[in-house]
Amino acid sequence: MGVNVVDHPLAKSLLASLRDRSTPPPLFRLLAKRLALLLCMEATRRVPLVQIEVETPLAKTTGARIAQPLVAVPVLRAGLSMLEAVTELFPDVTVGYVGLERDHATFEPSMYYSKLPALEGRAALLLDPMLATGGSAAAACSALEKAGAESVTLLSVVSAPEGIAKLQRLHPSVNIFTVSVDEGLDEHAYIIPGLGDFGDRLFGTP
Ligand code: PRP
Ligand code: URA
C-alpha cells in the first residue's frame, strides 16, 4: 500500500544521532528503541477498537480497547532492537521471529530460522530497521502471508528507494512506516548515507 515517512522532529533528531559513526552500541540501542516507539505509535494509529464501559469514581462512560492483540515479528538480528518498544506499548502482543541473513556477494537473503505464532486473520508488525535491496523484507513478508497474516506493516528506520520499490512490487498490500527514505544503495548494497551495518553497530560486532 503506502509509504509513510515519520518526520516528527524528535525522530529526525534521534536518527541523526543513530547515523553518527561515533555513537557507541549502548547509545545506539537506546536511540533505536526510541525510534521504534515513534514508528510503532504511527503505524498503529488505525488499529481497530472495541467500545467498552468504564466506571470512573464519578460516573459511567464509554471507552475503547484494542480489538485484537497484534503480532510483532522482528527480523533477526537487527529487528530485535525494535521489539521492546512494541511489547511496552502493546503488552498483549504475540511475538514471532524470522532469522534472515544477506549473502555478502549476491545480497540475496537466506532464512535460517522461523518461529511464527498463529497468524490467520491477524495484523502483523514486521520489525526490521533497514530496508536496503528489499530482499529480506520481501522474504519475511512471504513467510507472514503464507502463515495467514491478514495484514503486514513494516516498521523500518531507514529505507532505500530500491527496497521500497521491490517490496511494493512483490507485496503491494504491505504498508511501510519509515523515518527516512535515503538516497540509494552503494555497490555493496549498503544504504547511502544510511548508518552502516545496523546489526554490527547494535551488538558491537565487527
Ligand atoms: C540487514 C538488515 C535487514 C537486511 C536489509 O540484515 O537488518 O534484515 O540487512 O537488507 P536487504 O533489504 O538488502 O535485504 P543482515 O543480513 O545484515 O543480518 P543481521 O541483522 O543479522 O546483521
Ligand atoms: N543492512 C544494513 O545493516 N545496512 C545497510 O545499509 C544495508 C543492509
Side-chain angles (χ1 to χ4, degrees), residues 75-78 100-102 128 130-136 197 199:
V75 175
L76 308 178
R77 294 177 298 166
L100 285 164
E101 190 168 27
R102 276 197 334 178
D128 192 337
M130 303 304 276
L131 178 61
T133 65
S136 302
D197 190 302

Side-chain angles (χ1 to χ4, degrees), residues 78 102 130-133 185 189-192 194-200:
R102 276 197 334 178
M130 303 304 276
L131 178 61
T133 65
L185 301 176
Y190 274 89
I191 301 175
I192 300 297
L195 48 76
D197 190 302
F198 196 104
D200 285 350

Side-chain angles (χ1 to χ4, degrees), residues 179-191:
V179 180
S180 174
V181 179
D182 276 14
E183 288 163 25
L185 301 176
D186 71 6
E187 67 275 24
H188 306 292
Y190 274 89
I191 301 175

Side-chain angles (χ1 to χ4, degrees), residues 21-34:
R21 64 183 306 158
S22 69
T23 296
L27 178 56
F28 192 91
R29 286 193 275 272
L30 183 74
L31 295 164
K33 180 178 171 182
R34 290 193 177 159

